[in-house]
Amino acid sequence: MENQNNVTEFVFMGLWGNKQMQLLFFFFFLLCYVVILMGNFIILLTITCSHLIEQPMYYFLCHLSLMDLCYTSTVVPRLIRDLVAARKNISYNNCMAQLFTAHLLAGVEILILVSMALDRYVAIVKPLHYMVLMNRRRCNMLVFMAWGVGFWHSVALLLVVLHLPFCGSNQIDHYICDVKPLLKLVCKDIHVVNILMTANSGMVVVAVFLVLVASYILILYNLRTCSSVGRRKALSTCSSHVMVVILFFVPCIYIYVLPAGSENKDKEVSVFYTVIAPMLNPLIYALRNMEMRIAMGKVWSKMTHSKFW
C-alpha cells in the first residue's frame, strides 16, 4: 500500500511560546547573525587577501568560515523572521530543501574540522614531511571529499524522509526542518527509520568526534619532544580547534544519538551549533591567533591606503 502524504506545509512551533520572550530573542538572534556575517566575512577577506591562504591551516579555516556563513544563512534568517511572524509556516518542498541544505553544509563542516585536525597532526608529528604531505593538491582533495561525503549523506537522509507519510499533525516542535522533529509527525511505525537515522547521523557524529579526540591526544603526546616555544604555539592553535570541536559536536551528539520521541531539549540545544558556534568561531580563531591579527592589520592598512590613494 502506498504511503499517503496529506501535508502540503508545516508550521513551526518555535523556541518559545511567550511573545515577550520572542521579541527579546528576535533582537538577540539578529545581533548574533550580524556578528556571524561580519566575523566570518572578515576571516574570509583576511585569509584570501594575504599570504595566509598559502598555508593549509588557514586554507581550511577559510572553508570553515564559508560553511558557517552558508549554514547559518539557511537557518537563522527564518528563525529571526518567525520570532515576530504571526504564522510560522513553511511549504513541504521548502522544508525538504532546508533539511537537505542544512545537512549538506553541516556534513561538509564536520569533514573540514577533520581536515584541520589532520593538518595539525601532520604539522606536529611529522614536521619535516609537512609541506609534502599537506600540499595544495591534497588540501583540495580533502575539501572535494568533504563535499562528496556531505552530499551523499544528505541525499540518503532526504530519500528516507521523502518516503515517509505525513498525514496527521503538521506542527513541527522546532524552529527548523530537521529529521527528529519531522519523524514525530510520521503516521506509521518508525522503529526501523529511527535506527537508520541514528546510524546515518548519530553514529557518524560520534565516530568522527572520537577520531578527533584521538588525534588531539596523539598531538598532545607528541608535544613532549617539542621545544617550549613550539609547544606553546602548538597548544594555542590546538586549543582553538578543540573549543570549536566541542561547541559543534557535543550538541550534535546529544541531539542525533537519542532517538526521536525522547523527551529532551533538542531545539534549545540545537541553538549551540546553529547560532552560537558559528558566532564564536571567528572570535576563537581570530582573537586567539597572533598571525591572524597581524594579517588583519595588514589587510586593513592596505585597503585604507588604496582607498585614500
Side-chain angles (χ1 to χ4, degrees):
M1 191 169 111
E2 275 190 22
N3 289 335
Q4 297 297 313
N5 191 349
N6 301 324
V7 173
T8 57
E9 70 169 14
F10 296 101
V11 178
F12 294 123
M13 294 176 69
L15 278 167
W16 300 278
N18 188 305
K19 291 289 182 184
Q20 291 177 332
M21 286 283 286
Q22 287 184 351
L23 188 61
L24 176 67
F25 278 100
F26 168 81
F27 292 108
F28 172 72
F29 286 123
L30 182 61
L31 177 63
C32 288
Y33 189 51
V34 171
V35 172
I36 289 167
L37 293 178
M38 289 179 62
N40 285 289
F41 179 74
I42 288 169
I43 284 183
L44 283 170
L45 185 67
T46 301
I47 294 173
T48 53
C49 296
S50 70
H51 68 284
L52 295 180
I53 191 65
E54 298 166 9
Q55 300 182 38
M57 182 178 76
Y58 294 105
Y59 176 75
F60 290 130
L61 177 57
C62 190
H63 282 280
L64 181 70
S65 290
L66 182 62
M67 288 305 101
D68 279 339
L69 279 172
C70 296
Y71 179 71
T72 53
S73 295
T74 65
V75 175
V76 181
R78 178 171 285 276
L79 167 61
I80 293 169
R81 190 211 71 171
D82 287 346
L83 284 167
V84 291
R87 194 162 183 268
K88 306 171 179 62
N89 60 311
I90 182 172
S91 70
Y92 177 86
N93 290 337
N94 286 342
C95 182
M96 295 302 112
Q98 187 186 57
L99 174 72
F100 175 81
T101 307
H103 275 267
L104 167 64
L105 297 171
V108 175
E109 181 158 344
I110 285 172
L111 292 169
I112 293 295
L113 288 170
V114 172
S115 300
M116 293 175 79
L118 175 64
D119 171 72
R120 289 301 84 201
Y121 175 81
V122 175
I124 293 166
V125 178
K126 298 182 180 294
L128 298 177
H129 302 92
Y130 178 69
M131 295 309 297
V132 175
L133 293 174
M134 297 304 295
N135 55 51
R136 182 48 56 92
R137 180 173 168 275
R138 192 154 287 155
C139 290
N140 286 335
M141 185 183 70
L142 287 169
V143 171
F144 290 140
M145 191 182 299
W147 277 98
V149 174
F151 177 78
W152 286 112
H153 157 74
S154 301
V155 167
L157 200 69
L158 183 65
L159 289 175
V160 171
V161 175
L162 285 174
H163 285 86
L164 295 175
F166 300 99
C167 49
S169 172
N170 68 338
Q171 290 192 326
I172 300 177
D173 188 19
H174 215 291
Y175 59 90
I176 56 172
C177 283
D178 203 0
V179 181
K180 283 181 67 177
L182 283 171
L183 288 180
K184 294 177 183 179
L185 306 182
V186 176
C187 48
K188 76 168 189 177
D189 180 38
I190 57 167
H191 180 71
V192 175
V193 177
N194 257 327
I195 295 171
L196 290 173
M197 291 299 103
T198 302
N200 184 282
S201 299
M203 292 302 104
V204 170
V205 170
V206 171
V208 172
F209 180 69
L210 291 175
V211 167
L212 289 172
V213 169
S215 71
Y216 285 115
I217 289 172
L218 287 171
I219 287 170
L220 289 173
Y221 179 78
N222 281 275
L223 281 176
R224 297 173 308 138
T225 57
C226 295
S227 64
S228 58
V229 176
R231 193 182 300 122
R232 280 198 300 272
K233 186 178 178 181
L235 283 172
S236 176
T237 304
C238 290
S239 62
S240 298
H241 292 190
V242 170
M243 279 192 284
V244 170
V245 165
I246 290 171
L247 278 170
F248 189 86
F249 278 89
V250 172
C252 284
I253 290 170
Y254 174 86
I255 288 169
Y256 292 110
V257 169
L258 297 176
S262 301
E263 292 301 322
N264 46 42
K265 301 288 183 181
D266 280 0
K267 59 184 179 181
E268 290 85 358
V269 171
S270 64
V271 171
F272 282 94
Y273 66 82
T274 56
V275 182
I276 305 301
M279 181 180 67
L280 293 179
N281 283 358
L283 302 177
I284 291 169
Y285 282 113
L287 296 183
R288 288 174 52 84
N289 190 313
M290 181 64 74
E291 203 170 11
M292 270 294 294
R293 294 202 298 270
I294 293 170
M296 285 166 64
K298 287 181 179 178
V299 170
W300 178 257
S301 298
K302 191 191 299 182
M303 290 176 65
T304 306
H305 182 77
S306 61
K307 182 180 179 182
F308 287 104
W309 296 97

